[in-house]
């Protein structure tokens, strides 16, 4: 076992102690407030136990090992036959087993493929957010499995049988037909070489055959490639169609899904993303021919929500490491966290992190309530791309600033912040980059203007006593009415996200709501952390909420 430095040595060398064995739930005031405000107060005891489990040093070590030992493609076996499998480090399997054991992949669904009752979404989001602080790569399989259940509801009876095997807590990584397994995971194959934005422009074909379709073509990205089945978009005779493609054919033979290579990604390195070739791979149709894009849109929306929640988790992790380090690092005769300039930076980071949590969890609550409320369904539809835009695009900058709080130590691969920094950009790209989700907001406005403006009015009402709300609503309406709305789409979505975050903070009774509105809606600060002109009292409040001493 490596020798750990004693407290005396840590003091002498001015190094912060290891940040491990942390209670990710009880130490996070913003999370606890969001859970209560969004209807999951009865879940608190379970979430506290979960936070202790995932905050343990053991889980951090598995995260390190899974990322330092990335997956390997096994395209062929020793005799030259195609194998098309991916080998993962045991720590990756351990993380997946833990997350599946906690139902991160399925707790928002019933075995019949229906949405689980409230507060299933909020409860899962809390767990997902805590896991994201530890290891994001394996969450790709949780995202794809959870979201892919949505289009399976439009499939044949075999799809319903698969859902039953998804909605359990059994992790089975074996490579064999799904009928023989107790637990399944699902992947996605949507993006093609010529572009990922235009879902209807794919060249992969789906030809009708007895009992289903034969899928032929190439996918530039296929997420979670060791899953048991994949939701694939392909061009059938009547247009783009969603097809469920299993790893094994109904006769028990391996489906001809050939893995060309694993992507060499900037981050998310513990997981695999594959480039694949389908060679008359068998699949079952999901939904109507020609309606493939519409069939997969709920899947896309659910994945976007997870991107927002995951990014909020990354922000929280980065903030936690920055606060922990600065509280133990001495400089110029005082702890670094006591220095006024560092306090200004940390308070700004805490403000951004807490607002991200409030925005994400109020969005998730809309999915819990959407089954009974058309207004909440529209709120979810409008704010899903909006929240993803604001939170996912804000995460890389926040992580970079937190990394800087550790100085040179933050830039060294021995610590977790470089991994967080590499992880941060992916959620802004996955399931719609910034421009794509902004255009999605404009499409919703074009088709449902009255309902969209009703959501804006509701948000304004919830935050009506906060500074800058009236001006923000006026700026938002001006952008929505611009003769060239695409030109100002980012302006509109940014203002909408800020309004929604302020409303979420106010509705939850957060003591930082007014601070957020004054600094973000009224503005006046700079573009970097530490420039918001927070008062001493505001700084004290934010830092006391950020993490217990």
């Amino acid at each position: 076992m490596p020798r750990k430095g004693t407290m005396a040595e840590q003091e002498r060398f001015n190094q912060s102690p290891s940040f491990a064995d942390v209670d990710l739930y009880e130490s996070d005031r913003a999370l606890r407030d969001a859970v209560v405000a969004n209807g999951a107060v009865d879940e608190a005891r379970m979430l506290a136990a979960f936070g202790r489990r995932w905050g343990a040093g053991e889980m951090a070590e598995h995260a390190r090992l899974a990322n330092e030992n990335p997956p390997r493609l096994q395209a062929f076996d020793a005799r030259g036959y195609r194998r098309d499998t991916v080998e993962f480090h045991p720590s990756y399997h351990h993380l997946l087993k833990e997350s599946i054991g906690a139902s991160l992949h399925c707790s928002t669904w019933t075995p019949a493929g229906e949405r689980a009752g409230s507060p299933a979404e909020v409860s899962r989001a809390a767990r997902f957010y805590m896991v994201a602080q530890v290891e994001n790569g394996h969450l790709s399989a949780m995202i794809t499995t959870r979201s892919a259940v949505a289009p399976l509801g439009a499939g044949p009876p075999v799809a319903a049988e698969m859902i039953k095997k998804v909605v359990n807590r059994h992790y089975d990584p074996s490579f064999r037909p799904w009928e023989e397994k107790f637990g399944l995971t699902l992947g996605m194959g949507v993006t093609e070489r010529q572009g990922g934005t235009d879902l209807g422009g794919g060249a992969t074909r789906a030809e009708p055959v007895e009992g289903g379709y034969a899928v032929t073509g190439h996918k530039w990205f296929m997420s979670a490639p060791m899953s048991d089945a994949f939701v694939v978009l392909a061009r059938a005779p009547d247009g783009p169609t969603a097809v469920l493609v299993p790893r094994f054919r109904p006769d028990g033979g391996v489906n001809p899904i050939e893995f060309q290579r694993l992507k060499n990604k900037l981050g998310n390195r513990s997981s695999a993303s594959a480039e694949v070739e389908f060679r008359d791979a068998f699949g079952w149709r999901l939904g109507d021919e020609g309606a493939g894009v519409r069939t997969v849109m709920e899947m896309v929306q659910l994945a976007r929500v997870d991107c927002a929640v995951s990014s909020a988790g990354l922000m929280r992790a980065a903030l936690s490491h920055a606060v922990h380090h600065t509280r133990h690092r001495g400089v110029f005769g005082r702890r670094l966290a006591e220095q006024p300039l560092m306090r200004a930076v940390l308070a700004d980071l805490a403000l951004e992190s807490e607002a991200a949590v409030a925005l994400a969890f109020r969005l998730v609550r809309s999915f819990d309530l959407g089954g009974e409320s058309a207004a909440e369904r529209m709120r979810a539809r409008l704010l899903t791309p909006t929240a993803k835009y604001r939170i996912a695009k804000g995460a890389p900058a926040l992580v970079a600033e937190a990394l800087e709080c550790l100085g040179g130590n933050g830039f060294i691969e021995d610590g977790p912040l470089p991994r967080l920094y590499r992880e941060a950009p992916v959620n802004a790209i996955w399931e719609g980059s910034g421009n794509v989700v902004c255009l999605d907001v404009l499409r919703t406005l074009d088709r449902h203007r009255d309902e969209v403006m009703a959501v804006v009015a509701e948000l304004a009402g919830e935050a009506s006593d906060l500074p800058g709300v009236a001006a923000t609503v006026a700026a938002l309406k001006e952008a929505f009415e611009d003769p060239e709305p695409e030109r100002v789409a980012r302006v509109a979505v940014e203002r909408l996200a800020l309004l929604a975050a302020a409303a979420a903070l106010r509705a939850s009774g957060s003591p930082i709501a007014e601070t957020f509105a004054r600094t973000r809606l009224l503005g006046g600060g700079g573009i970097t952390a530490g420039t918001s002109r927070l008062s001493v009292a505001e700084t004290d409040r934010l830092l006391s909420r950020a993490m217990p001493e």
Side-chain angles (χ1 to χ4, degrees), residues 269-301:
R269 299 185 71 86
S270 68
S271 71
S273 298
E275 188 176 336
V276 302
E277 194 79 25
F278 297 96
R279 300 189 185 278
D280 287 334
F282 178 84
W284 299 279
R285 192 182 73 212
L286 301 173
D288 296 331
E289 266 200 22
V293 175
R294 185 170 67 249
T295 300
V296 303
M297 278 314 297
E298 185 180 358
M299 178 178 77
V300 170
Q301 286 289 80

Side-chain angles (χ1 to χ4, degrees), residues 522-540:
L522 288 181
I527 64 172
T528 57
T531 61
S532 293
R533 302 178 185 177
L534 299 171
S535 69
V536 173
E538 288 174 320
T539 299
D540 288 343

Side-chain angles (χ1 to χ4, degrees), residues 222-413:
M222 192 164 78
S223 302
M226 280 307 295
S227 296
D228 298 288
F230 305 90
V231 176
V232 174
L233 272 183
R235 184 163 294 280
D238 286 341
T241 301
V243 182
L244 178 62
V245 181
R247 284 304 307 269
F248 288 81
R249 302 171 64 87
D251 62 9
V254 178
N255 223 359
I257 306 170
E258 297 183 358
F259 295 175
Q260 305 300 305
R261 59 173 172 165
L262 299 185
K263 296 296 192 179
N264 186 14
K265 297 176 292 183
L266 168 67
N268 211 245
R269 299 185 71 86
S270 68
S271 71
S273 298
E275 188 176 336
V276 302
E277 194 79 25
F278 297 96
R279 300 189 185 278
D280 287 334
F282 178 84
W284 299 279
R285 192 182 73 212
L286 301 173
D288 296 331
E289 266 200 22
V293 175
R294 185 170 67 249
T295 300
V296 303
M297 278 314 297
E298 185 180 358
M299 178 178 77
V300 170
Q301 286 289 80
L302 290 173
R304 287 176 174 177
V305 171
D306 280 350
C307 287
V309 175
S310 171
S311 289
L314 290 171
M315 294 165 79
R316 171 64 191 180
L319 171 67
S320 297
H321 283 284
V323 171
H324 171 78
H325 175 81
T326 56
R327 283 180 177 172
H328 292 87
R329 181 80 165 176
V331 60
F332 304 132
R334 286 193 288 181
R335 293 298 179 190
L336 185 53
E338 296 172 352
Q339 300 287 353
L341 188 53
M342 180 56 75
R343 287 172 61 79
V345 171
L346 292 172
D348 247 349
L349 299 183
L351 184 58
E352 279 296 310
S353 176
E354 188 157 347
V357 171
L359 175 58
F361 276 78
R362 180 57 185 90
L363 168 63
V364 169
R365 177 66 167 160
S366 289
F367 281 83
D368 266 334
L369 300 176
E372 305 295 331
S373 169
E376 290 291 344
R377 287 196 296 275
M378 179 51 64
R379 187 167 179 149
R381 178 170 179 174
L382 178 65
L383 295 187
T384 292
T386 302
K388 178 183 182 296
Y389 179 88
R390 169 71 184 181
I391 299 172
K393 291 188 77 63
L398 188 145
V399 176
E401 195 71 65
L403 184 153
E404 190 175 323
C405 292
L406 276 69
N409 284 348
F411 202 67
I412 302 303
E413 290 286 351

